[in-house]
Amino acid sequence: MTKRHLRLGVNIDHVATIRNARGGGHPDPVRAADLAVRAGADGITAHLREDRRHISDDDIAALVETIPAPINLEMAATDEMVAIAVRHRPDAVCIVPERREERTTEGGIDVVASRDRLASVVRVLKQAGIEVTMFIEPAPAQIEAASAIEAFAVELHTGAYCNAIAGERERRRNEIAAAAALAERLGLECHAGHGLTYETVGPIAAIPQIVELNIGHFLIGEAIFCGLEASMQRMRAVMDEWRRVAVPALQS
Ligand code: PXP
């Protein structure tokens, strides 16, 4: 499962955040998705939140219809969101916890505590031909539970790693590496994301079992200064260099 090529999923939520600050249609997150794919993104990620604070239902429909790359819909495990996913059939769904008052997704979903509910969500989405990922903290019990409910993948939350100070950051990174190795042993595809920047992405890209990173806020923020294509290309270059050094002999 380990691959030399590390996929970059570009999260376009915050293009919609800027659009929604004024209402209207500009800047259009679907146009940003198209640009990102032309510039080499391996997929597009968008989070349809219960309060629709950034991405809208129409954005999801347009992304699935027009973007020639895999669409990964992040969503809470609610009946409303499951129905939307089944209607639009993105390539993948990433189940995230959601609290209305949070600024961003603050922690991973507790698969252990919500096992039965999540197992039934996985079943419904799988029947619709959608791959299901669980966005979790890098904890062995969560990975084992994700495997037990037959998720396709786990996405390891890198927020605590990114926010940690220097010495602590290495410990957090080692936790993620151990979690990725366990995920692979259990047959789960392993992704990672949240809070990644040019500075923090390298050591995560170097973990060979991780095959996809989902990055949004930093890339969109940097795009203000250098353009989306350039911010993505620089991120890609850092990812690829750390990957090349860490896993030189793997198949691409
Ligand atoms: N992965 C998941 C599951 C997320 O919820 C988010 C944030 O929406 C990201 C990745 C991207 O995080 P960031 O915007 O901090 O790069």
Side-chain angles (χ1 to χ4, degrees), residues 11 13 74 94 96 105 135 155 193-195 214-217:
N11 180 317
D13 290 351
E74 291 176 3
C94 181
V96 299
T105 313
F135 184 50
E155 179 164 328
H194 208 282
N214 286 300
I215 309 180
H217 184 266

Side-chain angles (χ1 to χ4, degrees), residues 17-24 26:
T17 303
I18 297 171
R19 174 193 63 190
N20 296 358
R22 283 287 171 95
H26 185 78

Side-chain angles (χ1 to χ4, degrees), residues 9 11 13-14 45-47 49 54 72 74-75 94-97 104-107 133-136 155-158 192-197 213-220:
N11 180 317
D13 290 351
H14 296 300
T45 293
H47 184 173
R49 295 188 79 103
H54 36 58
N72 174 33
E74 291 176 3
M75 56 176 233
C94 181
I95 301 291
V96 299
T104 180
T105 313
E106 283 165 2
T133 303
M134 294 289 145
F135 184 50
I136 55 171
E155 179 164 328
L156 303 176
H157 198 312
T158 50
H194 208 282
L196 292 168
T197 65
L213 299 180
N214 286 300
I215 309 180
H217 184 266
F218 181 82
L219 281 178
I220 303 302

Side-chain angles (χ1 to χ4, degrees), residues 1-238:
M1 204 185 283
T2 301
K3 292 239 165 62
R4 169 76 175 274
H5 179 72
L6 178 57
R7 300 195 300 263
L8 172 60
V10 174
N11 180 317
I12 42 105
D13 290 351
H14 296 300
V15 178
T17 303
I18 297 171
R19 174 193 63 190
N20 296 358
R22 283 287 171 95
H26 185 78
D28 178 6
V30 181
R31 182 175 161 203
D34 189 54
L35 182 72
V37 170
R38 285 171 204 274
D42 298 289
I44 297 296
T45 293
H47 184 173
L48 185 66
R49 295 188 79 103
E50 185 198 6
D51 63 6
R52 308 300 197 271
R53 73 174 71 152
H54 36 58
I55 292 296
S56 69
D57 299 58
D58 288 349
D59 293 331
I60 296 297
L63 287 169
V64 171
E65 269 167 37
T66 65
I67 298 300
I71 302 298
N72 174 33
L73 169 62
E74 291 176 3
M75 56 176 233
T78 60
D79 291 344
E80 182 202 12
M81 289 298 156
V82 171
I84 289 170
V86 169
R87 190 174 329 127
H88 294 297
R89 309 217 173 197
D91 301 86
V93 156
C94 181
I95 301 291
V96 299
E98 198 172 296
R99 286 192 302 116
R100 201 174 254 271
E101 65 277 16
E102 71 189 356
R103 278 212 198 143
T104 180
T105 313
E106 283 165 2
I109 193 154
D110 190 343
V111 187
V112 177
S114 308
R115 195 170 153 142
D116 292 347
R117 166 74 192 153
L118 293 173
S120 99
V121 167
V122 169
R123 259 194 311 276
V124 173
L125 294 174
K126 261 184 157 174
Q127 271 166 12
I130 301 168
E131 286 176 351
V132 188
T133 303
M134 294 289 145
F135 184 50
I136 55 171
E137 295 300 322
Q142 297 298 340
I143 295 160
E144 283 157 9
S147 165
I149 64 168
E150 299 185 1
F152 173 75
V154 287
E155 179 164 328
L156 303 176
H157 198 312
T158 50
Y161 155 81
C162 290
N163 292 335
I165 51 166
E168 165 77 359
R169 190 177 280 169
E170 196 180 333
R171 188 181 71 73
R172 294 284 188 182
R173 191 262 180 199
N174 293 342
E175 243 171 39
I176 292 169
L182 175 60
E184 185 177 77
R185 283 202 297 282
L186 295 178
L188 290 158
E189 201 172 272
C190 189
H191 311 164
H194 208 282
L196 292 168
T197 65
Y198 299 146
E199 188 201 342
T200 53
V201 77
I204 300 299
I207 298 171
Q209 296 86 359
I210 294 178
V211 298
E212 176 176 312
L213 299 180
N214 286 300
I215 309 180
H217 184 266
F218 181 82
L219 281 178
I220 303 302
E222 273 295 290
I224 291 168
F225 304 109
C226 64
L228 184 55
E229 206 171 333
S231 71
M232 275 180 52
Q233 279 165 356
R234 183 159 164 205
M235 187 64 80
R236 233 322 9 133
V238 180

